[in-house]
């Protein structure tokens, strides 16, 4: 019984040490804007040992989460780990109706992006809209178990209606 109480006491003390601040700044997900530039990390390979890596396919998914407003993808570019533009993935701007999504694929055999590849997308709207969700889904393919994970985009520039 004493061991159990000691363990619980240590656990409770640890929880106090790692207690989150009581006042957390929340992002306003309902703010509507006229456009943004979003950076999305992607990976064409991941290392599991110093001399061994697994190749990955990367799918960029952009979801228009605004239930009322159409947005336009102006650009979707793919850059390598050095920041060099490898290719523009849209031939022309693409409209996404409310709740519509668009995906683009970098196939598993395309290792040009390197470990730290990324997508850069620019969207706009004629009237203020909610920010879309942009994320990359990396997977090792369907041949068997392997790494699969996602990375969420980050807004790096914003055009407001003000």
């Amino acid at each position: 019984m004493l061991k159990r109480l000691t363990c619980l006491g240590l656990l409770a003390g640890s929880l106090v040490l790692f207690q989150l601040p009581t006042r957390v700044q929340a992002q306003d997900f309902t703010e509507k804007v006229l456009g943004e530039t979003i950076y999305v990390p992607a990976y064409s390979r991941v290392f599991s040992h110093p001399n061994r890596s697994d190749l990955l396919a990367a799918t960029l998914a952009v979801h228009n989460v605004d239930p009322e407003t159409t947005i336009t993808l102006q650009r979707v570019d793919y850059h390598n780990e050095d920041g060099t533009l490898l290719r523009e993935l849209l031939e022309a701007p693409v409209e996404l109706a409310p709740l519509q999504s668009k995906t683009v694929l970098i196939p598993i055999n395309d290792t040009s992006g390197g470990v730290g590849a990324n997508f850069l997308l620019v969207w706009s709207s004629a009237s203020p809209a909610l920010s879309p969700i942009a994320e990359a889904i990396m997977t090792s393919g369907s041949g068997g178990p392997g790494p699969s994970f996602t990375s969420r985009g980050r807004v790096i520039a914003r055009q407001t209606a003000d």
Side-chain angles (χ1 to χ4, degrees), residues 52-162:
R52 182 172 176 263
S53 64
D54 294 308
L55 297 179
L56 300 170
T59 301
L60 174 70
V62 181
H63 303 269
N64 180 2
V65 300
D66 196 305
E68 301 168 350
T69 308
T70 296
I71 66 171
T72 302
L73 293 178
Q74 300 292 341
R75 298 182 60 93
V76 176
D77 296 336
Y78 184 59
H79 296 258
N80 70 11
E81 63 191 358
D82 295 324
T84 304
L85 175 65
L86 296 175
R87 68 176 82 66
E88 297 175 5
L89 299 171
L90 296 180
E91 293 180 16
V94 173
E95 284 193 353
L96 293 181
L99 306 179
Q100 186 178 6
S101 299
K102 168 77 175 160
T103 59
V104 292
L105 170 70
I106 304 299
I108 198 165
N109 61 349
D110 182 344
T111 59
S112 63
V115 175
N118 62 79
F119 297 99
L120 197 62
L121 68 97
V122 178
W123 71 271
S124 66
S125 180
S127 60
L130 294 173
S131 179
I133 292 174
E135 57 190 354
I137 302 96
M138 278 66 60
T139 182
S140 62
S142 59
S148 294
F149 56 97
T150 64
S151 65
R152 183 74 53 106
R154 177 179 176 178
V155 174
I156 60 172
R158 177 171 285 150
Q159 296 78 44
T160 61
D162 298 332

Side-chain angles (χ1 to χ4, degrees), residues 11-22:
L11 179 61
S14 298
L15 291 175
V16 170
L17 289 176
F18 297 105
Q19 189 176 33
L20 292 174
T22 54

Side-chain angles (χ1 to χ4, degrees), residues 17-31:
L17 289 176
F18 297 105
Q19 189 176 33
L20 292 174
T22 54
R23 198 171 163 182
V24 176
Q25 297 274 334
Q27 181 180 354
D28 182 6
F29 293 107
T30 61
E31 177 186 5

